[in-house]
Amino acid sequence: MRSKASQPRTILPDPIYGDVMVSKLINRCLINGKKTVATRQIYAAFDLIKAAAGRDPLQVFTAALYNIRPQMEVRARRIGGAAYQVPTPVRGQRRDSLAIRWLVLAARNRPNREYHTFADKLHAEILEASNLAGGAVKKKL
């Protein structure tokens, strides 16, 4: 057994919106450790959301994350030599990390013919997720 539990790392809020979830989104979007590129793309997506929706992009992002967060997940449980899929509730931290992961993956999987940059793809995915549509919400269901 472990001697002591691991300490969760504290993530600083992002400088513009002051939100920890935006920082987690930026960290999840990193490719080859280029944080400034990821930050620029996230803020460009938020600017596009502000122009398209006419609302605060942080509120739209929070609503999208709320719609993507899973309530239950199935886990393998071995009983008598057979593995059963048992539904279990999802912890809060895992719920947030799954929602951000699914949002980024759904944005990356969007076709390039209509969206040219990652900011365009992320903006479209966040808007659709806030309206209970899109690839991330399908993944949750």
Side-chain angles (χ1 to χ4, degrees):
M1 224 165 117
R2 244 186 183 171
S3 60
K4 63 180 181 179
S6 62
Q7 295 295 321
R9 294 182 182 180
T10 56
I11 297 177
L12 297 174
D14 76 299
I16 293 183
Y17 293 99
D19 192 40
V20 175
M21 295 308 283
V22 176
S23 291
K24 289 184 180 184
L25 177 67
I26 290 170
N27 290 338
R28 176 58 73 174
C29 290
L30 290 184
I31 296 177
N32 295 330
K34 302 204 174 209
K35 194 165 188 171
T36 54
V37 174
T39 305
R40 206 174 308 130
Q41 291 291 320
I42 299 299
Y43 290 148
F46 276 29
D47 290 341
L48 290 171
I49 290 170
K50 188 172 188 176
R55 293 187 297 163
D56 182 31
L58 191 60
Q59 289 178 345
V60 177
F61 174 64
T62 307
L65 276 186
Y66 181 77
N67 291 338
I68 298 171
R69 281 189 186 122
Q71 302 295 323
M72 302 287 283
E73 69 179 339
V74 291
R75 291 186 170 231
R77 171 99 178 162
R78 285 188 61 90
I79 301 173
Y84 294 101
Q85 297 290 324
V86 179
T88 56
V90 184
R91 293 181 294 117
Q93 237 179 352
R94 178 165 168 76
R95 183 181 295 173
D96 291 339
S97 66
L98 283 174
I100 289 175
R101 184 183 313 160
W102 293 345
L103 180 70
V104 171
L105 286 176
R108 283 189 180 145
N109 290 336
R110 283 185 170 261
N112 284 336
R113 61 183 170 272
E114 30 186 308
Y115 308 105
H116 300 294
T117 64
F118 180 71
D120 294 335
K121 293 178 179 186
L122 187 66
H123 138 260
E125 190 62 41
I126 289 174
L127 283 180
E128 285 186 8
S130 67
N131 295 325
L132 289 171
V137 176
K138 285 181 188 174
K139 174 80 172 171
K140 171 198 169 184
L141 297 176

